[in-house]
Amino acid sequence: MSVIRLKGQADRRIRAGHQWIYSNEVNTSETPLKQFAPGDQVVVETAQGKALGIATINPNTLICGRLISRNTDTVLNKSTLVHRLKIALSLRDLTYPAPYYRLVFGDSDGLSGLVVDRFADILVVQISTAGMERVKSEIIEALQDVVKPSAILMKNDGKMRQIEGLDSYVEEAFGTVPEVVYLQENDVLFQAPVWDGQKTGWFYDHRENRKTMQGFCDGKRVLDVFSYVGGWGVQAASAGATDVTFIDASQSALDHVTENLNLNQYEGNANLMQGDAFEAMQSLIEDKERFDVVVMDPPAFIARRKDIKAGEGAYHRANQLAMRLVAKGGILVSGSCSMHLETSRLHDIVRSNSRQLERFSQLIYRGTQAPDHPVHPAIDETEYLKALFYRIHNNMGL
């Protein structure tokens, strides 16, 4: 097998447990990256020539290597995939009584560049790296052996694929996948648009945070901003909320909200607002609307480090509008899926808004991603999700 050799000291992060190799860490004088094709598997060596393991390579990207194994006898093939899928499945079986979860969470399950969401006997797969794309057929076969699904959808249309030089496509790999699939989360039923929806069609990562939110909703008015198909708001409705307002830019997503409310036989008041979330919240403020629970769970405003300043501005504005809509003594849930926004910084944004609006806020719960999105201890990038719960009062002179 071909070799890439790292520069001096470039192996320290790998030895500490990380799995990524950056192009500027490779000694390209001794082992030129241009000799490799995207998806090739190579032995990774220290500057002194000691083997560190095997990685897949993409010479055209900043993250040019992704470690597969620290054992040079282990390559990325069907056997390795089956073994790691079984380990991933055992964690989900330990954690969840029903087969609705993220089965594979990339690096955290030892399968960098692979995500698999499970909806009972239907799997939705996302491949984001050239290394995983090279073994696509083996992935499909391994999933069939381990999970025995009735159908598999390849939802390969993510932004990372363009960076990796991969085509974008959505196709059935096996069986027949309907336009929507069904799932259960916290005893609430949903349909998810896996073909045309965001990502895999559903976001399992906030499962535990939504469960916590349900405890505040009985008999209350709830606002779900950036609602998508109603993951938060429909669970609030099922927990006894008497009135739920949903805001989303997509009419199609709001149509699914209606279906999901019907699935759960909701008899309360539902208000669907299609349009820009910032404009919709401003309209509600002008109408002097107030809500007992406001959920602010936006898309990632910070996709890259260079977006931090602009993204923090967006989080500040969104949370300020949301806080103005919280009734006295109500709850604000401030969420973020931006890995580059630290929890402490999100807390600081809410604190700043509290002072500007002369509100007294109390942080009462810190939430993170669900167990089917495990955090790799050496890879900070795998810990990305935040959900901070605040009780909001008038200033109280403090």
Side-chain angles (χ1 to χ4, degrees):
M1 186 174 288
S2 299
V3 171
I4 63 164
R5 184 161 291 180
L6 302 182
K7 295 176 181 178
Q9 304 301 315
D11 61 310
R12 294 175 65 181
R13 197 165 37 80
I14 299 297
R15 290 184 182 280
H18 213 293
Q19 298 169 3
W20 299 354
I21 300 166
Y22 290 89
S23 57
N24 60 5
E25 296 175 325
V26 178
N27 186 334
T28 53
S29 297
E30 294 187 21
T31 54
L33 285 172
K34 63 183 180 181
Q35 67 181 304
F36 303 110
D40 282 353
Q41 297 186 43
V42 301
V43 175
V44 182
E45 292 183 350
T46 66
Q48 293 74 37
K50 183 176 181 179
L52 292 170
I54 292 179
T56 59
I57 288 294
N58 189 336
N60 306 316
T61 56
L62 177 61
I63 302 173
C64 70
R66 295 172 185 270
L67 207 67
I68 298 164
S69 174
R70 297 176 191 273
N71 182 344
T72 55
D73 294 328
T74 301
V75 298
L76 184 60
N77 57 18
K78 181 182 174 182
S79 176
T80 300
L81 289 162
V82 166
H83 177 63
R84 294 189 182 171
L85 285 172
K86 286 181 177 179
I87 294 173
L89 180 60
S90 69
L91 170 62
R92 280 68 181 181
D93 284 344
L94 181 69
T95 311
Y96 300 111
Y100 307 103
Y101 43 66
R102 175 147 292 182
L103 173 61
V104 176
F105 182 48
D107 295 277
S108 295
D109 286 301
L111 295 167
S112 186
L114 180 65
V115 164
V116 182
D117 276 357
R118 184 175 186 181
F119 304 92
D121 61 346
I122 294 175
L123 303 179
V124 181
V125 179
Q126 287 192 311
I127 293 173
S128 60
T129 62
M132 282 295 169
E133 185 75 12
R134 183 77 73 87
V135 295
K136 182 176 75 170
S137 61
E138 288 89 340
I139 291 170
I140 296 167
E141 291 174 7
L143 286 169
Q144 288 176 296
D145 287 355
V146 175
V147 184
K148 297 177 173 54
S150 65
I152 299 175
L153 180 69
M154 307 300 292
K155 189 74 182 296
N156 288 336
D157 57 355
K159 295 178 181 178
M160 274 294 297
R161 290 182 63 86
Q162 184 177 0
I163 296 172
E164 290 273 325
L166 300 173
D167 293 337
S168 178
Y169 63 89
V170 180
E171 66 182 23
E172 290 166 330
F174 166 73
T176 301
V177 179
E179 290 297 316
V180 299
V181 299
Y182 292 89
L183 66 125
Q184 183 175 327
E185 183 178 291
N186 300 326
D187 298 323
V188 182
L189 301 176
F190 289 93
Q191 66 175 32
V194 292
W195 282 86
D196 301 322
Q198 298 178 22
K199 304 288 187 174
T200 63
W202 181 254
F203 297 93
Y204 281 120
D205 50 6
H206 268 304
R207 180 197 311 251
E208 303 302 327
N209 302 322
R210 291 172 181 142
K211 183 176 182 180
T212 299
M213 175 218 49
Q214 286 182 306
F216 299 104
C217 294
D218 189 25
K220 305 298 185 180
R221 296 191 77 211
V222 176
L223 174 62
D224 183 359
V225 187
F226 299 103
S227 67
Y228 184 44
V229 299
W232 292 89
V234 174
Q235 293 196 42
S238 295
T242 56
D243 183 292
V244 186
T245 296
F246 302 83
I247 299 175
D248 200 85
S250 168
Q251 184 58 53
S252 175
L254 292 174
D255 290 342
H256 288 295
V257 168
T258 299
E259 293 299 323
N260 287 326
L261 288 169
N262 291 337
L263 276 176
N264 295 279
Q265 300 178 335
Y266 181 56
E267 297 180 353
N269 297 318
N271 179 30
L272 309 180
M273 299 182 67
Q274 188 272 321
D276 177 82
F278 294 92
E279 294 177 1
M281 285 191 287
Q282 185 61 50
S283 176
L284 290 171
I285 291 169
E286 291 171 0
D287 290 340
K288 302 188 184 307
E289 295 284 358
R290 296 295 182 269
F291 301 87
D292 302 297
V293 178
V294 175
V295 178
M296 169 57 58
D297 183 26
F301 287 147
I302 307 174
R304 299 160 296 183
R305 286 189 183 277
K306 68 178 185 179
D307 301 326
I308 289 178
K309 184 176 181 180
E312 286 188 352
Y315 280 109
H316 183 91
R317 183 183 173 210
N319 279 278
Q320 185 179 85
L321 290 168
M323 190 176 290
R324 292 173 65 185
L325 287 164
V326 179
K328 180 180 178 181
I331 303 296
L332 170 65
V333 180
S334 181
S336 169
C337 60
S338 294
M339 183 271 294
H340 295 296
L341 182 71
E342 296 182 359
T343 302
S344 60
R345 185 65 188 122
L346 178 60
H347 178 57
D348 194 49
I349 287 170
V350 176
R351 178 203 57 77
S352 175
N353 281 322
S354 297
R355 298 309 309 139
Q356 290 180 14
L357 297 175
E358 297 187 344
R359 301 290 196 273
F360 179 74
S361 62
Q362 299 166 297
L363 177 63
I364 59 175
Y365 178 78
R366 289 184 177 93
T368 185
Q369 58 221 55
D372 56 349
H373 292 66
V375 175
H376 190 299
I379 306 178
D380 292 340
E381 292 84 354
T382 62
E383 186 173 11
Y384 68 98
L385 198 74
K386 282 80 63 176
L388 303 181
F389 287 55
Y390 297 86
R391 193 176 189 212
I392 308 297
H393 274 283
N394 292 340
N395 195 14
M396 295 170 42
L398 296 172

